[in-house]
């Protein structure tokens, strides 16, 4: 039990669909993250939110749109994705301000774009 | 840009053998974490090392942080099939915000019974 919950666990969508990934953390952390994990590649940081404000966007295409309504919830809105966007999308949270940053991850959403 | 290189990328051993995984960088980190990830799941934090030269033990796992805080190693004694998984190291930068982690590519460990 990690304290970070992601839904759905699996998602298959067409290239013209619009869907959203949801993440909720119950750890009282003030920072949340979206990571992309593709086969044989390192974890790629996509977005960072500190205190609900987006502080980092690592050149992610606009077909990925994050939303952070409060420090406990994070969404990733998806539209007009490409097959190469198929991957495991991981949400994480941490407590900003600690030098010993530790990320706690959700179980991920396995996304397949067809 | 801070980079972390892990080696080996793949490791397949027999139950009962010992192994060491390495995590190296040219950058200095304020702390370094090791995670283990099983298929279809998110990474789970194993340990955080903070002080140069620090050694931490978690049952059969021994973690060491280099004196210069640029590298780390994970040693597993008498590996078991349950140790199978992707081992990831991640370094936190020296900036005080502490919000960014740099991940290595991971070491995929398979322990055969």
């Amino acid at each position: 039990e990690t304290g970070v919950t992601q839904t759905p666990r699996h998602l298959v969508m067409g290239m013209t669909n619009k869907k959203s990934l949801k993440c909720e953390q119950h750890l009282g952390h003030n920072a949340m993250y979206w990571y992309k994990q593709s086969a044989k590649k390192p974890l790629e940081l996509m977005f960072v939110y500190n205190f609900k404000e987006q502080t980092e966007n690592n050149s992610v295409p606009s077909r990925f749109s994050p939303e952070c309504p409060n420090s406990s919830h994070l969404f990733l809105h998806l539209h007009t994705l490409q097959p190469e966007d198929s991957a495991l999308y991981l949400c994480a949270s941490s407590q900003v301000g600690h030098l010993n940053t530790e990320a706690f991850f959700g179980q991920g959403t396995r996304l397949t774009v067809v | 840009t801070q980079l972390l290189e892990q080696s080996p990328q793949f490791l397949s051993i027999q139950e009962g053998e010992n192994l060491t995984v390495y995590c190296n960088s040219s950058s200095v980190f304020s702390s370094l974490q090791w995670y283990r990830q099983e298929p279809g799941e998110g990474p789970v934090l194993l340990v955080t090392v903070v002080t140069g030269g620090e050694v931490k033990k978690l049952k059969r796992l021994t973690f060491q942080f280099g004196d210069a805080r640029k590298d780390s190693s994970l040693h597993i004694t008498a590996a078991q099939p349950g140790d199978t998984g992707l081992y990831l190291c991640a370094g936190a930068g020296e900036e005080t915000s502490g919000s960014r982690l740099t991940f290595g590519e991971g070491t995929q460990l398979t322990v055969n019974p």
Side-chain angles (χ1 to χ4, degrees):
Chain A
E1 187 174 307
T2 63
V4 180
T5 305
Q6 287 187 244
T7 55
R9 291 292 311 275
H10 301 273
L11 179 62
V12 179
M13 60 185 288
M15 289 189 284
T16 59
N17 291 159
K18 289 185 180 181
K19 296 287 184 183
S20 295
L21 309 185
K22 179 182 176 182
C23 177
E24 183 175 0
Q25 60 99 358
H26 312 277
L27 301 169
H29 289 162
N30 54 21
M32 296 187 77
Y33 314 80
W34 280 116
Y35 284 87
K36 176 183 178 182
Q37 188 175 36
S38 304
K40 300 182 180 180
K41 287 186 178 180
L43 277 172
E44 299 174 56
L45 179 63
M46 299 174 72
F47 301 104
V48 180
Y49 277 83
N50 288 350
F51 299 98
K52 303 185 301 177
E53 298 297 322
Q54 187 180 128
T55 59
E56 195 159 343
N57 175 340
N58 277 351
S59 303
V60 180
S62 59
R63 57 186 184 268
F64 295 91
S65 175
E67 178 190 359
C68 188
N70 55 61
S71 57
S72 298
H73 294 85
L74 185 64
F75 296 89
L76 188 62
H77 304 300
L78 316 171
H79 65 97
T80 60
L81 294 192
Q82 304 298 312
E84 58 265 30
D85 297 322
S86 298
L88 182 67
Y89 287 85
L90 291 162
C91 171
S93 70
S94 71
Q95 187 65 17
V96 170
H98 284 192
L99 287 178
N100 310 331
T101 297
E102 296 174 344
F104 291 83
F105 287 85
Q107 292 177 304
T109 295
R110 172 65 63 186
L111 173 67
T112 303
V113 181
V114 297
Chain B
T1 304
Q2 297 176 311
L3 295 174
L4 274 171
E5 295 184 352
Q6 282 188 243
S7 61
Q9 279 192 299
F10 300 93
L11 189 55
S12 181
I13 61 172
Q14 293 301 119
E15 182 175 1
E17 292 182 3
N18 302 332
L19 67 114
T20 302
V21 175
Y22 299 93
C23 179
N24 296 300
S25 176
S26 58
S27 302
V28 177
F29 293 101
S30 61
S31 66
L32 195 138
Q33 288 82 41
W34 284 93
Y35 296 81
R36 188 175 84 188
Q37 184 179 19
E38 298 189 11
E41 304 290 332
V44 175
L45 180 67
L46 295 174
V47 77
T48 299
V49 286
V50 177
T51 307
E54 181 177 4
V55 176
K56 280 191 174 179
K57 291 193 175 183
L58 187 65
K59 297 182 180 179
R60 294 175 292 100
L61 278 60
T62 302
F63 305 85
Q64 184 163 9
F65 202 11
D67 291 341
R69 291 185 290 136
K70 293 182 179 182
D71 53 83
S72 181
S73 64
L74 158 60
H75 182 80
I76 301 179
T77 303
Q80 299 178 1
D83 296 326
T84 294
L86 179 69
Y87 288 82
L88 295 158
C89 65
E94 291 204 291
E95 67 274 11
T96 56
S97 66
S99 64
R100 170 175 257 287
L101 285 176
T102 300
F103 279 87
E105 293 184 356
T107 294
Q108 181 61 54
L109 171 65
T110 302
V111 182
N112 302 299

